[in-house]
Amino acid sequence: MRIGIVGAGIGGLVAAAGLEADGHRVTVYERREEPAAVGAGLTLFANAFAALDAVGLGETVRAVSSDAVGRLSSGQRRPSGRWLLSLPPSDTPSIRSLFRSDLHRALLDRLGPGVVRAEAGAEVTRDGRPVLEVDGHEERHDLVIAADGLRSRARARWGLDRGLRAAGYTAWRGVTASRGHLADEAGETWGAGVRFGIVPLPDDRVYWFATRSTRPVAAGRREADADPRTAVLEQVGTWHAPIRELVEATPADVVLRHDIEDLAALPRSFVRHRGVLLGDAAHAMTPDLGQGAGQAIEDAATLTILLRGAGLADLDAVLRRYDAIRRPRARALWRASHLAGHVAQASGPVSVPMRDLALRAVPAALFSRAVTRGSAWHPPRR
Ligand SMILES: Cc1cc2nc3c(=O)[nH]c(=O)nc-3n(C[C@H](O)[C@H](O)[C@H](O)COP(=O)(O)OP(=O)(O)OC[C@H]3O[C@@H](n4cnc5c(N)ncnc54)[C@H](O)[C@@H]3O)c2cc1C
């Protein structure tokens, strides 16, 4: 089939690589000049790798990622460093970390020349015909995949948009400049409306993130965006080692800040005629479970597998199946992520001790089993 994909993010590129390997004629339209990733680090769970394996990309992504994060002690800590939930190192970690830019490069390398067209914003038709308007020209396909992210224009044009909502917190992300063993332990530290996360990357550098609730904590404060490290250190500078060292080891100009949003409600369908939503365009979720990209990858693998051996006459049935398989799974994680963010960002004098007490009551083995269950993925039967 001739397949047009809008957006060269993680979802669009995994779909493109899987579909091209299966013999489809794929074009990816990316409005940015450089289809490389913006962003810092990323973690992917076992479900993402099961999906990547199913479309022949698992080894490509393993080669640029590391399982060091799962081989360290991790869990949740208080700002003092005392563990609320301590997870022992695992010999068979179900999580890997990587640089977003490495992932993008690795996926781009798997595509044939000319498959990705940069600086090519593409507009879908309102009725979901598989036609894209690119630079004032119409380009025809058999299927259009809209992988155009959180603010998807395709979702809006297909009448499937139900709005975005603010998650109520802002997030900073950074990567330390130097190699070194600043992080002997991974995981998150939870304060009142503030969190800090530590993730070792493949080359011994460290990806960290910090969050701060926007309403209760920021009221009346000036945003210190001039130097984002100062803003982060204002929140976590006195927390346990090596938090301050990690922030100070990060050049200010690589620190990113985003106010976190997710979809207010998921589209009633991921499909509009011969157009299909994929990744954040379909189900943008908060990053609290680290599953946004994982779900985009599951979408891409599911669609690729369902299209194997299908002809044009089967396309409507394939898209119905995709919708039926993907919507419940994505909805469950979208809901759980939002809830997890709400709990983790607790900032009140009662809610913080209650949250911490609840976390301390969770047996580590039960927590690990829940993560393992949540990060299982099986290819769809065709
Ligand atoms: C702070 C933070 C931390 C996160 N951490 C993790 C994590 O650890 N693990 C994880 O799994 N997920 C994580 N996520 C979520 C993850 O980043 C996203 O779910 C994922 O990147 C979505 O990929 P996508 O391909 O669907 O969309 P995007 O990455 O948004 O890609 C969309 C692409 O479409 C292009 N585009 C848009 N409109 C058009 C158009 N009209 N024409 C052409 N091109 C267009 C854009 O330029 C862009 O390149 C995190 C998110 C945030 C905000």
Side-chain angles (χ1 to χ4, degrees):
M1 287 186 207
R2 294 201 322 171
I3 301 177
I5 301 179
V6 184
I10 296 167
L13 291 180
V14 172
L19 292 165
E20 198 198 17
D22 282 356
H24 299 287
R25 283 168 54 200
V26 180
T27 307
V28 184
Y29 303 90
E30 170 54 53
R31 68 179 171 195
R32 288 198 308 237
E33 193 180 336
E34 275 288 320
V38 285
L42 187 74
T43 52
L44 293 175
F45 286 88
N47 57 310
F49 283 94
L52 289 164
D53 283 334
V55 294
L57 294 169
E59 288 316 310
T60 299
V61 181
R62 278 189 195 89
V64 294
S65 61
S66 154
D67 66 359
V69 57
R71 293 189 180 276
L72 297 174
S73 304
S74 68
Q76 269 82 7
R77 282 187 264 191
R78 288 182 198 275
S80 66
R82 198 171 146 213
W83 290 99
L84 290 165
L85 174 71
S86 169
L87 303 172
S90 165
D91 293 334
T92 51
S94 63
I95 178 171
R96 298 181 72 89
S97 62
L98 68 171
F99 288 95
R100 278 180 187 252
S101 48
D102 287 352
L103 174 59
H104 264 68
R105 224 170 287 127
L107 293 172
L108 286 166
D109 285 350
R110 289 289 304 260
L111 295 171
V115 168
V116 178
R117 282 172 49 186
E119 286 188 278
E123 186 92 74
V124 303
T125 63
R126 283 189 192 284
D127 56 6
R129 269 180 305 125
V131 174
L132 287 169
E133 194 189 304
V134 187
D135 295 332
H137 300 286
E138 284 204 337
E139 305 214 357
R140 294 183 178 279
H141 299 277
D142 298 314
L143 171 67
V144 161
I145 299 173
D148 53 345
L150 171 73
R151 294 178 202 288
S152 168
R153 291 257 308 156
R155 189 178 63 232
R157 280 181 74 84
W158 289 341
L160 299 172
D161 192 35
R162 300 169 75 192
L164 302 179
R165 67 181 162 183
Y169 66 91
T170 195
W172 292 268
R173 287 176 284 173
V175 177
T176 59
S178 49
R179 288 163 177 259
H181 294 278
L182 276 170
D184 299 328
E185 286 157 337
E188 293 194 19
T189 304
W190 289 4
V194 179
R195 279 181 283 166
F196 193 89
I198 299 175
V199 182
L201 285 168
D203 68 351
D204 282 350
R205 283 194 276 166
V206 180
Y207 162 51
W208 56 262
F209 55 87
T211 67
R212 187 198 61 198
S213 297
T214 32
R215 255 163 279 126
V217 182
R221 279 190 186 217
R222 261 190 65 236
E223 295 292 347
D225 255 358
D227 179 0
R229 286 182 314 184
T230 310
V232 173
L233 287 174
E234 260 181 33
Q235 311 299 322
V236 299
T238 58
W239 288 15
H240 66 81
I243 290 177
R244 174 173 275 280
E245 291 92 314
L246 291 172
V247 178
E248 285 176 344
T250 306
D253 61 353
V254 304
V255 179
L256 301 168
R257 185 189 153 189
H258 289 98
D259 291 332
I260 300 301
E261 293 172 291
D262 66 352
L263 296 192
L266 292 205
R268 291 186 207 287
S269 170
F270 288 173
V271 176
R272 176 91 162 108
H273 189 40
R274 296 264 160 114
V276 57
L277 295 171
L278 185 148
D280 275 12
H283 46 62
M285 55 190 72
T286 66
D288 298 285
L289 297 181
Q291 275 290 351
Q295 291 310 297
I297 293 169
E298 284 188 15
D299 289 348
T302 302
L303 191 56
T304 302
I305 291 165
L306 292 176
L307 283 169
R308 279 183 189 151
L312 275 180
D314 309 313
L315 195 46
D316 294 333
V318 162
L319 297 184
R320 272 199 303 277
R321 252 333 278 290
Y322 168 81
D323 190 45
I325 293 170
R326 292 306 304 153
R327 235 162 6 103
R329 164 86 168 149
R331 192 190 306 114
L333 284 158
W334 163 78
R335 274 208 187 118
S337 293
H338 197 84
L339 182 66
H342 193 70
V343 171
Q345 285 300 126
S347 59
V350 177
S351 55
V352 172
M354 274 175 57
R355 175 200 69 189
D356 291 358
L357 205 65
L359 204 55
R360 287 183 60 191
V362 178
L366 192 74
F367 185 88
S368 298
R369 268 205 302 278
V371 173
T372 308
R373 248 200 328 271
S375 56
W377 185 82
H378 303 286
R381 276 182 288 113
R382 280 171 40 230

